[in-house]
Amino acid sequence: MKKLLASFGIVGVGYWLWRFLSPRHSIMVLENKVVIITGASSELGEAFAEVFARRGAKVVLAARREDRLRRVAERIAPYATDVLVMPVDITIPEQRQRLIDETLRTFGQIDILVNNAGVSGGNYYDQLDSSFIEQTLQVNLVAPLLLTRLVLPHMRQRNEGYIVNIGSAMGREPTPYFAHYCASKAGLAAFSDSLRRELFDTNIHVLYAALGWIRTEMLSPDAEDVLRQFPQHTVLSAQSVAEIVIESLVQGRYEVYSGNWIEHGGIRLERFAPRIVDWYWRFVTRYMPWLELSRKVS
Ligand SMILES: NC(=O)c1ccc[n+]([C@@H]2O[C@H](COP(=O)([O-])OP(=O)(O)OC[C@H]3O[C@@H](n4cnc5c(N)ncnc54)[C@H](OP(=O)(O)O)[C@@H]3O)[C@@H](O)[C@H]2O)c1
């Protein structure tokens, strides 16, 4: 028995050491890189635009609300090298194509695609509008997959590029009352893992961001009030989350978490002991206002 435990220990430590020491792509310089950011009209997208611009990247701001994009462009203008405003609906194929074509026409290259646009909102699954479920899957999953499909040939040609998929902790540890959202983010996580493995022999990298709660328009003040009853969750600012994700990109990681150690622990537990996570959610849904929270997330 002792020998068995010792072998497990050695294998475990060996595995973590190997993961820790295995080479990543060299530290990346963002200066003059061309970055497309979808969902740049709202807080997390805006924060990405600001952090990339401060590090010298050329940013392409994409979302539907042009007035908001122009406001973001004005705000980052003092330190942005170059900004392109692209009012597009990423669920429309022609508009996705226009986004890529116009970026290539303006800057001649695409280095980084940040698939950030997203929609959320929750309820009992059978009480959600089917059109809303479809819209969630279109924005959170189908559009990122097809935008990636459009930029990859260009990245392959240059043998260089970065795809950043903004997912959610709910994509790795699905929660009740957000089934459609969890499905979209879990799909994005699986897509990121698969593509990363497909691209092993290239210099194209994929990063999946399994994010916890962020103070943005998605999390209305009302919803944040309810969330305060869940001490196991933290709410971070968009700015700090953008910094965490971009730092992970620069360091060549393939997955990044935001949130506290309990939220990280939940993701790990989901992998190794999903029944324990089931008990946890049984408790939460019975005694805590998770359903109320899901209805207040927009
Ligand atoms: N907030 C959180 O607690 C949280 C937690 C984990 C993960 N996330 C993820 O973080 C990302 C950003 O979310 P957020 O919190 O910043 O949400 P948000 O404030 O609601 O912003 C969503 C963004 O997506 C854009 N968008 C939505 N539909 C679009 C479409 N059809 N075409 C183009 N753009 C579209 C919106 O722009 P327009 O309306 O102008 O088109 C907006 O800029 C999402 O992927 C979300 O799932 C958020």
Side-chain angles (χ1 to χ4, degrees), residues 162-197:
Y162 301 82
I163 309 291
V164 182
N165 289 324
I166 302 304
S168 163
M170 291 189 197
R172 292 293 195 203
E173 188 216 333
T175 70
Y177 312 130
F178 286 96
H180 63 310
Y181 181 77
C182 295
S184 70
K185 295 299 187 181
L188 197 60
F191 171 64
S192 307
D193 289 340
S194 169
L195 193 64
R196 183 181 80 247
R197 290 166 184 163

Side-chain angles (χ1 to χ4, degrees), residues 144-171:
L145 262 67
L146 295 178
L147 273 171
T148 304
R149 162 85 181 64
L150 288 179
V151 299
L152 263 185
H154 168 74
M155 289 182 172
R156 274 195 197 274
Q157 207 176 16
R158 299 176 61 227
N159 192 27
E160 194 183 338
Y162 301 82
I163 309 291
V164 182
N165 289 324
I166 302 304
S168 163
M170 291 189 197

Side-chain angles (χ1 to χ4, degrees), residues 39-45 63-65 88-91 116-119 135 139 166-168 181 185 211-214 216-219:
S41 64
S42 186
E43 280 149 89
L44 185 58
R64 290 165 303 179
R65 289 169 293 178
V88 288
D89 182 332
I90 57 162
T91 62
N116 166 71
V119 288
Q135 171 75 356
V139 177
I166 302 304
S168 163
Y181 181 77
K185 295 299 187 181
L211 305 181
W213 294 101
I214 314 161
T216 65
E217 283 169 27
M218 195 178 265
L219 189 65

Side-chain angles (χ1 to χ4, degrees), residues 55-200:
R55 293 197 181 203
K58 300 174 182 175
V59 291
V60 181
L61 307 175
R64 290 165 303 179
R65 289 169 293 178
E66 186 170 359
D67 54 328
R68 297 273 297 253
L69 292 177
R70 296 219 172 273
R71 231 174 16 214
V72 175
E74 261 169 46
R75 211 173 61 71
I76 63 173
Y79 41 83
T81 321
D82 241 318
V83 184
L84 174 65
V85 167
M86 286 297 300
V88 288
D89 182 332
I90 57 162
T91 62
I92 301 176
E94 297 74 34
Q95 300 198 16
R96 285 195 294 265
Q97 187 68 55
R98 190 162 61 79
L99 170 62
I100 305 305
D101 291 348
E102 200 56 42
T103 304
L104 286 173
R105 211 175 354 261
T106 309
F107 296 125
Q109 66 192 59
I110 298 168
D111 297 286
I112 306 167
L113 168 66
V114 184
N115 284 312
N116 166 71
V119 288
S120 183
N123 204 340
Y124 289 114
Y125 183 66
D126 51 335
Q127 285 179 20
L128 291 170
D129 239 32
S130 53
S131 61
F132 177 61
I133 295 172
E134 242 174 73
Q135 171 75 356
T136 305
L137 290 169
Q138 284 292 333
V139 177
N140 295 7
L141 183 60
V142 177
L145 262 67
L146 295 178
L147 273 171
T148 304
R149 162 85 181 64
L150 288 179
V151 299
L152 263 185
H154 168 74
M155 289 182 172
R156 274 195 197 274
Q157 207 176 16
R158 299 176 61 227
N159 192 27
E160 194 183 338
Y162 301 82
I163 309 291
V164 182
N165 289 324
I166 302 304
S168 163
M170 291 189 197
R172 292 293 195 203
E173 188 216 333
T175 70
Y177 312 130
F178 286 96
H180 63 310
Y181 181 77
C182 295
S184 70
K185 295 299 187 181
L188 197 60
F191 171 64
S192 307
D193 289 340
S194 169
L195 193 64
R196 183 181 80 247
R197 290 166 184 163
E198 181 176 324
L199 295 170
F200 264 158

Side-chain angles (χ1 to χ4, degrees), residues 120 168-170 175 178 181 210-216 218-220 223-224 227 230 232-238 240-241 258-260 263 281 290 293-294 296-298:
S120 183
S168 163
M170 291 189 197
T175 70
F178 286 96
Y181 181 77
L211 305 181
W213 294 101
I214 314 161
R215 194 165 296 114
T216 65
M218 195 178 265
L219 189 65
S220 64
E224 204 176 330
L227 195 56
F230 295 85
Q232 63 275 41
H233 291 288
T234 42
V235 181
L236 297 182
S237 71
S240 58
V241 172
S258 64
N260 61 24
E263 289 163 309
W281 283 109
W290 193 258
L293 170 70
S294 76
K296 287 185 191 300
V297 173
S298 54

Side-chain angles (χ1 to χ4, degrees), residues 280-294:
Y280 166 80
W281 283 109
R282 200 174 273 240
F283 173 83
V284 168
T285 50
R286 199 166 288 171
Y287 302 109
M288 298 179 89
W290 193 258
L291 175 61
E292 192 190 331
L293 170 70
S294 76

